[in-house]
Amino acid sequence: VQLQASGGGLVQAGGSLRLSCAASGSIFTVNDMGWYRQAPGKQRELVAATTRDGTINYQDSVKGRFTISRHNANNTVTLQMNSLKPEDTAVYYCNAICQIQDSRGFVRTRLYWGQGTLVTVSS
């Protein structure tokens, strides 16, 4: 299973970016999907997450500015980021909880991470 993230870049404060992440491989079902971020010198933190049935959770600091959405048909999740602030600067990681079949044929639940994409917001 691989998660491929894209869409990061440099933007001025007040601007917008859209991040996308696609899960691929031998997947039975993708359950929760989400975005985390890690700023220099800080711990990784949840930005937004969504369950398969559409229940969504946002970090308080991004509510009203960021929108997470997913497309179950192609196992993708996007993060629309508006009104960006310098404090949003970080490496953004997508993750997904997937049901996969192991080498013995058993269905397992595993957490996978994307490679990270850098978002830089200049003041």
Side-chain angles (χ1 to χ4, degrees):
V1 176
Q2 288 188 330
L3 297 187
Q4 183 66 44
S6 61
L10 173 64
V11 65
Q12 288 188 331
S16 298
L17 283 174
R18 183 179 179 88
L19 306 182
S20 295
C21 178
S24 61
S26 299
I27 302 171
F28 279 133
T29 304
V30 178
N31 296 329
D32 296 1
M33 301 188 81
W35 289 94
Y36 285 69
R37 66 187 180 188
Q38 188 166 18
K42 295 187 177 181
Q43 290 187 331
R44 191 173 297 189
E45 61 181 7
L46 171 70
V47 177
T50 174
T51 64
R52 184 171 180 82
D53 64 2
T55 301
I56 292 173
N57 182 36
Y58 291 103
Q59 181 191 115
D60 285 347
S61 69
V62 307
K63 287 180 179 178
R65 300 188 297 123
F66 291 10
T67 302
I68 188 171
S69 59
R70 66 181 289 169
H71 303 276
N72 291 333
N74 56 6
N75 294 330
T76 60
V77 63
T78 60
L79 185 69
Q80 177 66 42
M81 305 185 294
N82 298 328
S83 302
L84 282 160
K85 304 176 181 180
E87 51 264 43
D88 294 318
T89 295
V91 177
Y92 284 69
Y93 299 89
C94 62
N95 74 359
I97 298 175
C98 302
Q99 287 188 313
I100 56 93
Q101 191 172 38
D102 68 15
S103 59
R104 295 186 294 171
F106 294 107
V107 177
R108 306 291 186 186
T109 299
R110 294 281 185 266
L111 172 66
Y112 296 92
W113 289 90
Q115 81 279 15
T117 184
L118 178 62
V119 172
T120 304
V121 184
S122 63
S123 58

